[in-house]
């Protein structure tokens, strides 16, 4: 088995009780949180009518979640390392439930945006869950459990879409959010009862300046990327936000390198195994989200276009649902490859499978079963990559840095999805065809996006080749001494 999966010797000889229950509860929490990403998709076209606002304003119901997740993920991950991962996991789930209730009671735009923001603040649940597993499980259970937890991001999204479409079609749209609140409440109770608190903590002071700096930089960057299409890519607002993001993030990095207790340990992040894993994650996030943009549109466009399949949103969800099951199955298969060859090889295999899926989609896109096949192939690749990423990250950082490191990796994937959304939007807006006086994305436009998705997966494969084949998972002596000194100071 790869050294990347070895646990520290002082982790404890005896395994904690209820290990299967702990894994199941954490995976459930991850699935519940991932549902919020697809929850509003079936009602996005109707939001202007439902909320009595313009389409450009109701788009903030989606953008607010994206921004909140980007800000919360690294901050909550760091707080988890400092004051307790289970404690911050509970806080995150409470925010999810609160946001769901606010949205369920909303009939106008402002409360909807507030609720969606609160839901976005729960995005750190998956990296926190992975970090808890590292502290609570023995080495022989760690690889499979973290792969399942990581895959819950995709599983929840894939299975949530048909369920959300069915609920929105049959009942009042507020039921979507009441359902989310109920599932979150169940997850909250189960975490309280079953999941143990980790004793691995860094101590120290929270980097408030660093958190504000990173938040301001990320919000500026993501606003420019996500709203640039509406504002104009050469508008003063878009260019100003982009320039502000560069300046703020550069200043933030300068500050973090000199801080005694940084929000993100950039020196650890610069280690080859962490650096190249995070860079590959950006490319994978880009590649995996491209499918979510292309397949639903292909399925829903009118058949008279010659390439659209004229399906309902419920059919879209049913077409994409098998992907989630394949993803879960392949996360288990990825563990066997990781044990035999190491997580680096697993990541490379997954990236190639994703690229092959997009390549196949370019030539197979005229039948519903074509898209089912393609989504399953890409889902298989995602299952492999999601299983490998936490193993690579945890194999290169000390246990006391697991929460922050996994959260940063999750953030990298989120940045990739944001870039994919922006670029695909530009391509599909430029490559159009006239249909009854309306401009619709052309068939070649979809093929270009799929080709770019394949290229992004191949870029992830190339970046992954630079990851060191083996990396000790145990902290160095210097890191251990530093952690001991920090905990002694705190005491």
């Amino acid at each position: 088995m790869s050294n990347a999966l070895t646990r520290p010797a002082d982790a404890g000889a005896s395994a904690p009780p209820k290990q299967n229950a702990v894994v199941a509860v954490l995976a459930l929490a991850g699935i519940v949180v991932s549902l919020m990403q697809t929850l509003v998709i079936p009602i996005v076209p109707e939001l202007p009518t439902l909320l009595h606002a313009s389409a450009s304003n109701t788009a903030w119901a989606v953008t607010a979640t994206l921004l909140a997740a980007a800000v919360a993920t690294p901050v909550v991950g760091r707080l988890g390392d400092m004051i307790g991962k289970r404690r911050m996991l509970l806080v995150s789930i409470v925010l999810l439930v609160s946001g769901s209730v606010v949205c369920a009671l909303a009939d106008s735009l402002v409360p909807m945006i507030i609720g969606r923001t609160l839901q976005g603040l729960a995005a750190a649940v998956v990296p926190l869950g992975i970090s808890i597993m590292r502290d609570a499980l023995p080495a022989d259970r760690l690889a499979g459990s973290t792969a399942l937890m990581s895959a819950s991001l995709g599983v929840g999204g894939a299975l949530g879409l048909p369920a959300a479409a069915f609920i929105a079609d049959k009942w009042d749209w507020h039921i979507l959010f009441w359902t989310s609140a109920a599932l979150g409440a169940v997850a909250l109770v189960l975490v309280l009862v079953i999941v143990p608190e980790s004793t691995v903590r860094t101590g120290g002071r929270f980097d408030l300046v660093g958190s504000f700096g990173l938040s301001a930089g990320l919000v500026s960057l993501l606003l420019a990327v996500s709203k640039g299409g509406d504002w104009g890519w050469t508008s003063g607002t878009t260019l100003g936000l982009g320039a502000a993001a560069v300046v703020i993030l550069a200043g933030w990095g300068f500050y973090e390198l000199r801080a005694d207790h940084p929000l993100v340990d950039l020196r650890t992040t610069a280690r080859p195994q962490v650096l190249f894993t995070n860079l590959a994650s950006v490319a994978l996030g880009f590649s995996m989200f491209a499918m979510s943009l292309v397949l639903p549109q292909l399925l829903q466009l009118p058949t008279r276009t010659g390439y659209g399949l004229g399906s309902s949103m419920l059919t879209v969800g049913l077409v994409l649902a098998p992907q989630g099951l394949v993803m879960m199955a392949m996360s288990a298969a990825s563990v066997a490859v990781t044990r035999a060859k190491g997580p680096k090889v697993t990541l490379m295999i997954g990236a190639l499978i994703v690229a092959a899926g997009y390549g196949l989609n370019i030539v197979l896109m005229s039948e519903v079963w074509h898209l089912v096949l393609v989504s399953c192939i890409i889902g298989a690749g995602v299952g492999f990559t999601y299983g490998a990423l936490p193993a690579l990250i945890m194999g290169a950082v000390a246990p006391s840095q697991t929460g922050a490191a996994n959260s940063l990796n999750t953030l990298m994937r989120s940045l990739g999805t944001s870039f994919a959304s922006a670029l695909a939007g530009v391509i599909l807006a430029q490559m159009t065809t006239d249909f009854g006086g309306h401009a619709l994305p052309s068939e070649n436009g979809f093929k270009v996006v799929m080709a770019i998705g394949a290229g992004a997966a191949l870029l992830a494969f190339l970046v992954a080749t630079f990851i060191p084949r083996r990396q000790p998972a145990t902290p160095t002596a210097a890191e251990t001494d530093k952690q001991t000194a920090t905990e002694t100071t705190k005491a």
Side-chain angles (χ1 to χ4, degrees):
M1 184 174 71
S2 169
N3 290 340
L5 300 176
T6 304
R7 295 198 58 204
D10 62 353
S14 62
K18 304 179 182 178
Q19 290 175 3
N20 291 336
V22 169
V23 173
V25 168
L26 291 174
L28 172 64
I31 290 173
V32 171
V33 169
S34 67
L35 288 174
M36 73 178 182
Q37 299 176 0
T38 55
L39 196 65
V40 298
I41 290 179
I43 61 173
V44 164
E46 302 174 27
L47 282 178
T49 302
L50 297 174
L51 300 177
H52 315 291
S54 66
S56 60
N57 285 334
T58 56
W60 285 100
V62 177
T63 305
T65 307
L66 170 69
L67 298 179
V71 169
T73 301
V75 171
V76 173
R78 173 61 176 156
L79 286 171
D81 286 337
M82 290 179 60
I83 64 176
K85 303 177 183 74
R86 176 179 178 270
R87 181 176 300 174
M88 294 311 301
L89 178 66
L90 291 170
V91 169
S92 297
I93 298 175
V94 167
L95 289 170
L96 173 67
V97 174
S98 301
S100 299
V101 171
V102 171
C103 290
L105 296 172
D107 283 311
S108 59
L109 181 61
V110 172
M112 174 64 79
I113 292 176
I114 293 173
R116 290 289 291 167
T117 300
L118 290 172
Q119 287 186 319
L121 293 175
V125 163
V126 170
L128 285 172
I130 291 172
S131 302
I132 291 172
M133 287 177 177
R134 184 183 192 183
D135 299 338
L137 301 179
D140 61 341
R141 292 293 309 275
L142 187 59
S145 300
T146 56
L148 177 63
M149 185 71 194
S150 186
S152 69
L153 274 173
V155 172
L159 299 181
L161 185 58
F166 179 77
I167 291 173
D169 183 56
K170 299 296 182 181
W171 294 290
D172 180 78
W173 64 275
H174 293 91
I175 299 296
L176 289 171
F177 296 100
W178 285 122
T179 303
S180 174
L183 291 173
V186 170
L188 180 67
V189 172
L190 291 175
V191 170
L192 279 169
V193 173
I194 294 174
V195 177
E197 179 59 273
S198 168
T199 58
V200 181
R201 300 185 186 179
T202 60
R205 295 184 302 274
F206 181 69
D207 181 11
L208 191 60
V209 174
S211 67
F212 280 128
L214 180 60
S215 299
L218 288 174
V219 168
S220 298
L221 175 63
L222 290 174
L223 273 177
V225 170
S226 62
K227 303 296 288 185
D230 296 330
W231 295 337
W233 292 106
T234 59
S235 70
T237 302
T238 302
L239 295 177
L241 284 170
V246 172
V247 172
I248 293 172
L249 291 175
W252 171 79
F254 183 83
Y255 173 83
E256 290 293 283
L257 288 172
R258 287 154 180 78
D260 292 332
H261 302 282
L263 178 71
V264 177
D265 189 340
L266 294 180
R267 291 180 176 84
T268 298
T269 305
R271 292 175 185 170
Q273 182 154 329
V274 179
L275 175 63
F276 289 113
T277 299
N278 283 333
L279 291 176
S281 297
V282 176
L284 286 169
F286 186 106
S287 179
M288 291 181 288
F289 196 66
M291 175 190 64
S292 301
L293 297 170
V294 168
L295 297 192
Q297 292 193 61
L298 279 174
L299 284 163
Q300 292 182 89
L301 283 174
T303 55
R304 286 175 295 167
T305 59
Y307 51 90
L309 299 176
S311 302
S312 66
M313 176 57 72
L314 180 58
T315 301
V316 172
L318 293 174
V319 167
L320 296 180
Q323 175 197 16
L325 302 177
V326 171
M327 198 180 301
M328 185 176 293
M330 288 301 102
S331 68
S334 74
V335 176
V337 177
T338 294
R339 287 173 175 163
K341 301 294 184 180
K344 171 183 175 178
V345 174
T346 306
L347 177 60
M348 295 170 68
I349 291 174
L352 289 178
I353 294 174
V354 171
Y358 278 111
L360 188 64
N361 199 185
I362 294 175
V363 296
L364 289 180
M365 54 184 290
S366 59
E367 301 287 345
V368 170
W369 73 266
H370 289 171
L371 303 188
V372 174
L373 175 64
V374 166
S375 68
C376 287
I377 292 174
I378 295 176
V382 172
F384 267 81
T385 59
Y386 272 13
L389 291 174
L392 286 165
I393 293 296
M394 291 188 296
V397 303
S400 59
Q401 298 174 317
T402 305
N406 278 319
S407 296
L408 183 63
N409 182 254
T410 300
L411 175 62
M412 293 300 104
R413 279 183 268 175
S414 298
L415 290 177
T417 62
S418 299
F419 296 144
S421 178
L423 181 58
V426 170
I427 292 171
L428 296 179
Q430 295 297 319
M431 301 183 68
T432 61
T433 183
D434 181 75
F435 182 76
H438 299 281
L440 296 179
S442 67
E443 182 177 12
N444 286 334
F446 288 121
K447 290 183 177 181
V448 168
V449 173
M450 289 184 284
I452 293 175
L458 292 175
L459 177 60
F461 172 85
L462 178 63
V463 171
T465 62
F466 293 95
I467 298 173
R469 182 167 292 276
R470 291 186 182 274
Q471 178 77 20
T474 54
T476 64
E479 290 170 336
T480 303
D481 291 342
K482 181 178 179 181
Q483 179 183 343
T484 302
T486 300
E487 293 172 349
T488 301
T489 301
K490 180 185 177 186

